[in-house]
Amino acid sequence: MLAGVELEVVTCAERPDLQEEAAAAFREHWPEFIFHDQLSKRYIGRVGEYFGEFSILLLQEGSVAAGGWGVPFCWDGTAARLPAGYRTALAASVETREAG
């Protein structure tokens, strides 16, 4: 509970029915460039399909109030091997999964 507000935590994998509501709720707050990046467009659909358990939504009275998205990726622990940003993390995550 947060300051008298009850929130329910669910994953996108558990509640795929909330995908459109979440997209509409967050579109106005995400930087516009994210919606036009070609690399992200190439991978984002598979991110949702493959990694829904890493994405969470906070529900207030059944409606989306907040969310967080994540993807797993292989990393050797060195700064030099970190992805350059969110788009390369998406690509690395999807490509690694598809490679088995």
Side-chain angles (χ1 to χ4, degrees):
M1 184 162 1
L2 177 67
V5 177
E6 284 196 39
L7 298 173
E8 178 185 1
V9 179
V10 298
T11 68
C12 290
E14 295 169 328
R15 294 291 310 270
D17 58 300
L18 295 172
Q19 182 176 2
E20 288 183 33
E21 181 181 345
F26 302 123
R27 181 164 177 89
E28 68 183 83
H29 299 290
W30 287 345
E32 186 64 27
F33 76 88
I34 288 176
F35 303 107
H36 304 285
D37 182 78
Q38 294 305 308
L39 184 65
S40 295
K41 282 183 182 181
R42 190 176 327 145
Y43 291 99
I44 199 68
R46 290 177 282 171
V47 166
E49 177 185 341
Y50 297 160
F51 308 119
E53 71 273 17
F54 293 99
S55 299
I56 63 165
L57 297 172
L58 298 179
L59 307 181
Q60 181 179 359
E61 298 179 3
S63 295
V64 175
W69 290 264
V71 295
F73 60 88
C74 295
W75 180 46
D76 67 4
T78 64
R81 297 291 305 239
L82 282 171
Y86 87 94
R87 44 196 309 266
T88 53
L90 294 180
S93 185
V94 168
E95 290 174 2
T96 299
R97 184 188 186 279
E98 291 178 346

